[in-house]
Amino acid sequence: MTLSRRRFLQLTAASVPALAGLGRLGSPAWAQTPPGIVKPLPPEWFTILGTNAEMRWDTAAGLPYWTPNERFFVRNHTATPLIDPATYRLEVFGSGLRRAEGISLSLRDLKRLPSRTITAAIECAGNGRSFFGSQQATPVPGSQWKLGAVGVARWRGVQLRHVLERAGVTRRAVDVMPEGLDAVVGDSGHVRRPLPIGKALDDVLLAYEMNGRPLPPDHGAPLRVVVPGWVGIASIKWVGRIEVADHQLFSTWNTTQYRLTGPAYPADSPPLTDQAVKSAIELPFGAQLQARRRHEVTGRSWSGRAPIERVEVSIDGGGRFRRAELYGANLPNSWVRWRFPLTPRAPGPLELQVRATDRARRTQPATVPFNDAGYLFWAVVKHPVQVV
Ligand SMILES: Nc1nc2c(c(=O)[nH]1)N[C@H]1C(S)=C(S)[C@@H](COP(=O)(O)O)O[C@H]1N2
Ligand SMILES: [Mo]
């Protein structure tokens, strides 16, 4: 039996509250993995950050457009719960329904509703946070993500709109708040965050499949919310309850967290919604490149607002930018892959900079204003390589 298999069985045997303490049970091999993530996290694919696992861009070259489930980053506030799909229920209730007591649906009920498949990225609002420190000299505490808190998948499920209609949503509905079945987070309660009714009725999916397979435990099994284009926290995993209210709803995750605060922002800046424009190069920082040989530098660029219009690369510290070639799919709320031929002349250090522009005419800036929590770092990232 492999370690990961043994670990899975152990997780299955554990009660949900016990999962948070799993790290203490650890044999040396498990000490490498954070408590409460079920899938194997080989170090060549992931960097462990607390309870989270970041995808490594430097080993991502050659991955297909859709991030394979086993390579997808994991961001857990506590730990992955294991939920029995046979007894699972989704409760939909609240003052925004014709009858406030609402409805309760099993997974079978949900699968009998019309299904839909979408491609969408999930990206943490804190993706890129470490660059506030390494690039702008204003470090921010919190998970020191590089650029790997993002992935793109095909999600199949039922549109939230259909479930809300079935529950008898009325025109008085204002906010819709999905809540996770994972452990409570301190005094903040279960992970939950309201969506305005307009977004909830637009393109939000309740997904039970990821890339053609049942949703894996770490990504929200048996059911997760997918909110295309928006910061990852909106896409509640392990959703068990959805409140539909005729008034605004609040939780830690739309009040004290996931808003831009700091000297550059007003005190009443709104909760974060759509994602910024970003780019990542599929090379290690400090990669060695042979001089006078032709290399193909590859990477991906993405935006939560519109598909990518163009990607440009500078090899002279941001002086002159030249177009990279976009190839393959370029879907909304997802990314596009690009390539750039590079034949470095002389040995020595070289700095690559990639800058994307989306069809909403947003171009990655050279720097971004500081915010206290280090959200939405979307400036051009300086990527050093060594020509040898
Ligand atoms: N119930 C629940 N939902 C959650 C979270 C969580 O901890 N609990 N983390 C959120 C955050 S901050 C992000 S970025 C995404 C990450 O999704 P993934 O782990 O499938 O990559 O899930 C979101 N949904
Ligand atoms: Mo996140």
Side-chain angles (χ1 to χ4, degrees):
M1 201 158 41
T2 64
L3 264 186
S4 57
R5 175 85 185 136
R6 261 172 53 204
R7 179 153 182 268
F8 182 77
L9 293 177
Q10 187 128 9
L11 281 160
T12 317
S15 71
V16 169
L19 277 175
L22 189 77
R24 269 171 274 128
L25 304 175
S27 70
W30 302 358
Q32 306 298 320
T33 54
I37 292 183
V38 172
K39 70 182 177 185
L41 301 170
E44 62 275 23
W45 291 353
F46 293 102
T47 305
I48 306 305
L49 296 170
T51 55
N52 314 300
E54 171 166 15
M55 186 198 75
R56 285 182 53 179
W57 275 107
D58 58 327
T59 59
L63 283 183
Y65 184 80
W66 291 278
T67 311
N69 296 358
E70 62 274 17
R71 301 287 294 262
F72 211 95
F73 84 101
V74 181
R75 196 296 186 234
N76 280 352
H77 280 82
T78 60
T80 295
L82 290 165
I83 297 163
D84 180 359
T87 55
Y88 168 84
R89 313 283 311 179
L90 174 68
E91 316 286 343
V92 187
F93 63 95
S95 57
L97 302 179
R98 268 198 297 282
R99 292 169 56 240
E101 62 272 33
I103 59 169
S104 165
L105 299 166
S106 69
L107 200 57
R108 279 182 82 187
D109 297 333
L110 289 157
K111 288 185 177 174
R112 271 200 290 260
L113 293 171
S115 80
R116 182 176 197 174
T117 303
I118 62 168
T119 289
I122 304 262
E123 183 186 13
C124 190
N127 197 23
R129 178 181 289 123
S130 66
F131 298 109
F132 277 106
S134 62
Q135 208 166 284
Q136 300 194 170
T138 52
V140 182
S143 300
Q144 295 301 303
W145 304 107
K146 293 193 174 75
L147 288 166
V150 61
V152 168
R154 294 176 70 224
W155 310 95
R156 177 161 175 264
V158 52
Q159 291 175 81
L160 177 57
R161 177 161 63 85
H162 288 320
V163 170
L164 295 181
E165 280 163 4
R166 191 126 194 255
V169 63
T170 69
R171 305 180 71 139
R172 293 191 318 276
V174 171
D175 271 353
V176 175
M177 180 143 74
E179 180 178 304
L181 292 166
D182 43 340
V184 296
V185 183
D187 299 335
S188 303
H190 289 285
V191 178
R192 64 200 189 285
R193 190 180 196 255
L195 291 163
I197 186 73
K199 181 70 174 172
L201 293 175
D202 180 14
D203 58 355
V204 176
L205 195 72
L206 297 173
Y208 43 74
E209 272 182 29
M210 180 177 184
N211 292 321
R213 302 221 312 270
L215 194 62
D218 297 310
H219 299 292
L223 194 75
R224 87 172 297 166
V225 181
V226 176
V227 183
W230 284 30
V231 288
I233 185 63
S235 292
I236 295 295
K237 303 193 276 189
W238 315 293
V239 57
R241 288 155 47 93
I242 300 181
E243 179 174 359
V244 185
D246 64 2
H247 53 271
Q248 278 197 300
L249 294 172
F250 300 96
S251 79
T252 303
W253 292 274
N254 72 327
T255 52
T256 57
Q257 293 185 45
Y258 297 99
R259 293 171 43 243
L260 298 177
T261 62
Y265 298 95
D268 61 350
S269 75
L272 295 178
T273 58
D274 57 356
Q275 275 287 7
V277 189
K278 287 184 208 158
S279 303
I281 305 177
E282 293 164 339
L283 271 183
F285 277 68
Q288 298 206 340
L289 300 180
Q290 297 279 327
R292 292 176 298 280
R293 269 193 38 199
R294 188 178 190 276
H295 301 271
E296 185 169 83
V297 178
T298 63
R300 302 176 193 221
S301 299
W302 61 95
S303 158
R305 207 174 283 177
I308 296 296
E309 170 80 34
R310 67 172 181 278
V311 175
E312 301 156 293
V313 182
S314 163
I315 57 168
D316 65 355
R320 173 154 167 255
F321 280 87
R322 285 187 296 150
R323 290 262 186 140
E325 182 199 349
L326 312 188
Y327 69 95
N330 188 1
L331 302 173
N333 307 311
S334 306
W335 50 34
V336 68
R337 287 171 290 173
W338 48 260
R339 53 190 164 216
F340 182 80
L342 175 64
T343 309
R345 262 173 262 152
L350 202 63
E351 185 184 85
L352 306 180
Q353 294 190 19
V354 179
R355 174 173 87 183
T357 300
D358 71 8
R359 290 189 197 152
R361 294 161 155 246
R362 295 186 300 175
T363 297
Q364 289 185 256
T367 60
V368 288
F370 173 82
N371 70 85
D372 300 316
Y375 297 133
L376 304 190
F377 185 93
W378 65 299
V380 172
V381 169
K382 301 181 166 93
H383 192 124
V385 297
Q386 194 64 33
V387 180
V388 294

